[in-house]
Amino acid sequence: MTYAIVARQQGGSDVLEQIKIAKPSPAAGEVLVRHAAIGVNFIDTYFRTGLYPWPVDKDLVLGSEAAGVIEAVGDGVSGFAVGERVAYTIPNGAYVSHRVIDAKHLVKLPDTISDEVAAASMLKGLTAHYLLHRSYVAEAGKKVLFHAAAGGVGLIAGQWLAAKGVTAYGTAGGAEKCALASEHGYSKMIDYKSEDFVERVKEITDGQGVDAVYDSIGKDTYPGSLQCLKNFGSLVSFGQSSGPALDFKLSDLAVGSYSVTRPVLFHFTAEPGYLQSAADELFAMISSGEIKISINQKFNLSDVAKAHDQLETRKTTGSTVLLP
């Protein structure tokens, strides 16, 4: 059966519904991919609730990363063939069993990368890539703080930072999540449920602060994130799981001559050559064992509402995948 999960309207996880669809055929420049695994990310909930604007009026298909096998190729497509394994990350459209997609969004998967690992790491791994290599260039000897260290992006980033010789401190909620992140490259973990992360960072760094903070939490953390920076430090705000930082003012940066950036993955992947080169670097790190992808939750695609509920109540760690 060819099917999709659609959000009938903006709202809670109960707006998600499974529907039958006709198997699509690729137009010129497109390929048809049969999905083998689909990633779940916080950005999916942002779109579902309407926090991010919808590109359609109703029946939005969510999902921003997936992996699968090419079943058909449209006219004018070069470099891809039927039977090849591929993966992609673009906004929305992935919660389906089969999908036509512009070939420019695809990357080929090496034999060393499974479908589930690819689906769990395309958006999160490429996010970690642009954060550490483009947003604030994390270099050996630097000290950084990474919020939500036990999440999918956080676990990848912790290992990548360690491999680069960067000292990374992380925050997470609860002893179990802190222990998990500690196993993935973080030198010190801060349990925000029982500790004040600002005070702990000052204590750990002897009052000096860190060179950069990577913050995907938003409203609840950004004031404290700024307080953790040393002079000339950088705040990289790349998400808002607690809501947008509506009270932010440019004058907040004057305290320590700070810099702030609000990057978006898909601006980077739109650059010619970036997608494949960044994916190649990510896959090489995974294949070498320097980065291990933790897939700690799996759901059938038809049970995606349960996946959203667990994600939003912070009951997940690492990555979550859907299996069509």
Side-chain angles (χ1 to χ4, degrees), residues 252-268:
D252 295 340
L253 305 178
V255 176
S257 295
Y258 305 139
S259 298
V260 64
T261 183
R262 180 58 174 91
V264 175
L265 168 63
F266 304 115
H267 295 156
F268 293 95

Side-chain angles (χ1 to χ4, degrees), residues 3-324:
Y3 66 99
I5 305 295
V6 299
R8 289 298 192 185
Q9 59 191 20
Q10 297 175 4
S13 63
D14 59 337
V15 304
L16 298 171
E17 182 179 331
Q18 180 175 325
I19 62 171
K20 291 183 179 180
I21 60 173
K23 182 180 289 189
S25 299
E30 296 179 336
V31 300
L32 170 64
V33 178
R34 173 177 53 80
H35 285 164
I38 302 161
V40 178
N41 298 276
F42 245 108
I43 194 173
D44 303 347
T45 70
Y46 297 163
F47 277 109
R48 192 203 71 224
T49 61
L51 180 62
Y52 283 4
W54 280 29
V56 294
D57 292 331
K58 62 178 182 178
D59 295 349
L60 176 63
V61 178
L62 303 170
S64 298
E65 62 181 344
V69 179
I70 294 176
E71 288 197 342
V73 176
D75 292 340
V77 173
S78 61
F80 294 99
V82 171
E84 287 186 324
R85 298 171 56 245
V86 292
Y88 66 85
T89 177
I90 58 173
N92 297 312
Y95 289 1
V96 293
S97 61
H98 297 72
R99 180 181 194 177
V100 290
I101 188 169
D102 194 312
K104 70 181 181 182
H105 299 305
L106 298 176
V107 297
K108 293 185 179 182
L109 294 179
D111 293 339
T112 53
I113 304 296
S114 71
D115 295 324
E116 291 185 10
V117 166
S121 64
M122 278 295 289
L123 188 147
K124 290 174 279 289
L126 293 181
T127 295
H129 184 278
Y130 83 73
L131 289 174
L132 309 186
H133 298 86
R134 296 285 296 272
S135 299
Y136 171 78
V137 181
E139 299 174 328
K142 297 294 186 180
K143 296 179 180 180
V144 304
L145 176 68
F146 206 104
H147 287 299
V153 176
L155 294 182
I156 294 172
Q159 298 172 84
W160 217 326
L161 287 163
K164 291 166 70 67
V166 178
T167 300
Y169 312 125
T171 68
E176 184 178 349
K177 287 189 175 184
C178 286
L180 176 65
S182 292
E183 297 170 358
H184 288 75
Y186 292 92
S187 62
K188 297 283 186 182
M189 282 301 302
I190 301 166
D191 184 350
Y192 65 75
K193 288 187 175 181
S194 60
E195 301 176 287
D196 183 316
F197 74 84
V198 175
E199 293 304 316
R200 280 291 290 136
V201 168
K202 290 180 179 178
E203 179 183 339
I204 293 169
T205 63
D206 295 324
Q208 297 300 306
V210 294
D211 296 287
V213 177
Y214 297 97
D215 190 338
S216 63
I217 308 300
K219 182 181 68 174
D220 291 350
T221 51
Y222 91 89
S225 293
L226 289 174
Q227 295 175 50
C228 290
L229 293 172
K230 62 173 57 173
N231 283 354
F232 311 111
S234 297
L235 171 61
V236 181
S237 174
F238 69 101
Q240 48 195 42
S241 61
S242 69
L246 297 177
D247 296 329
F248 172 78
K249 304 180 295 296
L250 281 176
S251 58
D252 295 340
L253 305 178
V255 176
S257 295
Y258 305 139
S259 298
V260 64
T261 183
R262 180 58 174 91
V264 175
L265 168 63
F266 304 115
H267 295 156
F268 293 95
T269 57
E271 290 185 2
Y274 176 85
L275 176 61
Q276 190 64 60
S277 64
D280 288 344
E281 290 183 40
L282 172 65
F283 295 153
M285 292 291 287
I286 296 172
S287 298
S288 70
E290 289 189 279
I291 290 179
K292 295 178 173 61
I293 303 299
S294 299
I295 301 174
N296 295 336
Q297 299 82 213
K298 298 180 184 181
F299 296 86
N300 290 328
L301 177 55
S302 57
D303 292 327
V304 64
K306 295 180 182 178
H308 276 221
D309 290 340
Q310 290 201 15
L311 187 67
E312 290 181 291
T313 54
R314 301 186 185 279
K315 294 179 180 177
T316 64
T317 58
S319 297
T320 300
V321 296
L322 306 171
L323 305 177

